[in-house]
Each structure stands twice: as structure tokens, then as C-alpha cells.
Amino acid sequence: VKNWALKFGVDLWEFGRHFTKMNQIQNKYHEYNVEVVRKDGLLLVRELAVEVKNHMDFKMNAVMRIMDSAEAAALSAGSTTDGSPGSYYDARWLNVHADDGTLAARARRLLLSPSRHFDHIAVNTSYSAVLMPPYINTEDPEVQNQIAWSEHLDPLFVNNYEIDPTLSWQYYASSNGFMRRYPAMSWPPEDGYSHHARDFYDFRSSNWFVEAATSPKDW
């Protein structure tokens, strides 16, 4: 049994050396005069933890900037807005054409380009777009008011993305049922395979919205 175990160990070693190409890798190190230095595993973990923390801090700071700007915009708009939503990009009516090929009455034209960073969906990183379920009343003064002042978040969305290009979607979700999402995209998305996508859902019943709306705000 001892001899069998020894032979098995030698065969296993040779098998691993062959398929990992260990000798070739070692020769490459010698060829380029590379020095192998032993690293402290605990130190590596600590360095990695710092990098992860910095990465998450970037994301958290972006969220905090959106929150602070939204609060400031809402307060400043309370006494100055006329209640009109102004001219905004409705995701359901981006680049929608009538039967004769002209732009539909409610539609607005916006250049959208596929982005690998945003799941290959066609987007415009200079603007946000408003998404909402079909039963939200866009004539509601409160909805119009929030759509109007939330447009002031666009420069912040753009700035956040320029500071940290790894950011994904940014959005402001209103308790009135609409969502302003950056970058702008049409709904259904212009990605070539979502032509039969359902209507935009009411996110107010989602866990993430309920938890955010009911969680303490003093953190």
C-alpha cells in the first residue's frame, strides 16, 4: 500500500506539472529576470478590504448627492413652480412615429445609442427620462410638480457618472408613481428583443422602495 501511495503521489505531481505547464512558467520568470517575493496574506486581505471600502464609498457618495440634491430641489420648487411639468422626456414616447413616418404627437426625438455598460440598451447619457405605469395621471398637479423639479437632478446624474464611470443606473423614485432614470432610455428598451415588454411596473410595491421609504433617515 505504501508503494502504491507513493507511486500515486508521483503520478499526480507529474500530471499536475504537465497540465499547469509549471516548467514553462518558471522558465518565463527566469527569462524576464522576474523576482518572486513572498507576500503577507493578511496584508493582502487588508489592502483588498480598503479597496472595496473605497469602491463602496464612491457609490454611497453618489447616492447621498442625489438624495441631498432632490431634497434641495423639492424645497426650492415648493414656492416657485407653476405646477407645469415643462418639457421632459417620457420614456414611453421617445422616438415614437406615427403611421405616416412622422414623429407622433406626444413623442420627442432623442438620440439613443447602445451601451455595453448599460446591458447593450440604447441610452443617452446626457439626459434622464421619466418612466411611469400607464395609470398614473400625468395631469395631477403633484405629479407635474415633482417631474418639473426633479429635472434639476440631470446635471448631478451626469456628474456622478463622469466621476465614477462604473456607476450603473441612477434614479429618483417618487411616491407619486413615476421614476426619473438616468441615462435616458425608451420603454420598451431599444435593445432588439424587448418589443413585447410589458408596461412599466409600479415600483412602489417593491421591497426596495418600501424599505427605503420606511427606513430611518438619520443615518
Side-chain angles (χ1 to χ4, degrees):
V1 175
K2 182 178 180 180
N3 291 336
W4 176 85
L6 180 61
K7 182 179 183 304
F8 178 76
V10 171
D11 290 344
L12 186 62
W13 170 261
E14 292 297 331
F15 180 82
R17 186 170 63 173
H18 173 73
F19 282 96
T20 60
K21 300 186 182 300
M22 184 179 70
N23 289 340
Q24 291 92 322
I25 294 174
Q26 288 179 333
N27 291 336
K28 284 293 183 181
Y29 274 93
H30 292 303
E31 181 180 340
Y32 292 103
N33 295 321
V34 176
E35 181 182 0
V36 179
V37 179
R38 183 180 295 276
K39 297 288 289 186
D40 186 332
L42 181 59
L43 181 61
L44 285 175
V45 171
R46 288 174 176 171
E47 291 175 351
L48 179 60
V50 171
E51 292 181 6
V52 171
K53 181 181 183 301
N54 291 338
H55 178 77
M56 296 307 297
D57 284 345
F58 268 112
K59 312 302 180 188
M60 181 62 71
N61 289 337
V63 172
M64 296 301 293
R65 285 193 294 269
I66 294 173
M67 183 184 72
D68 292 342
S69 296
E71 291 178 350
L75 290 174
S76 63
S79 58
T80 59
T81 182
D82 59 1
S84 171
S87 179
Y88 66 97
Y89 290 108
D90 186 333
R92 299 170 299 178
W93 289 95
L94 285 182
N95 305 326
V96 176
H97 293 83
D99 293 337
D100 60 0
T102 61
L103 200 65
R106 294 180 56 186
R108 294 190 66 187
R109 183 175 285 107
L110 183 65
L111 178 63
L112 302 174
S113 302
S115 170
R116 292 180 59 187
H117 183 65
F118 295 101
D119 303 320
H120 298 279
I121 293 174
V123 299
N124 186 307
T125 55
S126 297
Y127 302 95
S128 65
V130 173
L131 298 95
M132 65 186 82
Y135 49 80
I136 297 297
N137 181 14
T138 56
E139 301 301 319
D140 184 331
E142 185 60 28
V143 172
Q144 292 186 344
N145 181 47
Q146 289 199 19
I147 289 177
W149 65 250
S150 64
E151 186 177 2
H152 296 292
L153 296 176
D154 272 14
L156 178 63
F157 289 149
V158 174
N159 186 57
N160 280 343
Y161 186 50
E162 290 176 347
I163 293 175
D164 182 6
T166 67
L167 280 177
S168 185
W169 305 96
Q170 302 177 66
Y171 51 86
Y172 165 76
S174 168
S175 58
N176 286 307
F178 78 87
M179 176 186 291
R180 181 177 289 280
R181 181 156 64 176
Y182 172 90
M185 58 171 283
S186 63
W187 190 269
E190 293 182 3
D191 57 6
Y193 49 83
S194 297
H195 300 297
H196 302 290
R198 58 184 173 82
D199 288 329
F200 188 68
Y201 74 106
D202 193 337
F203 56 83
R204 291 174 294 182
S205 60
S206 299
N207 288 336
W208 61 265
F209 183 83
V210 174
E211 291 175 1
T214 58
S215 63
K217 303 301 187 295
D218 57 352
W219 49 274

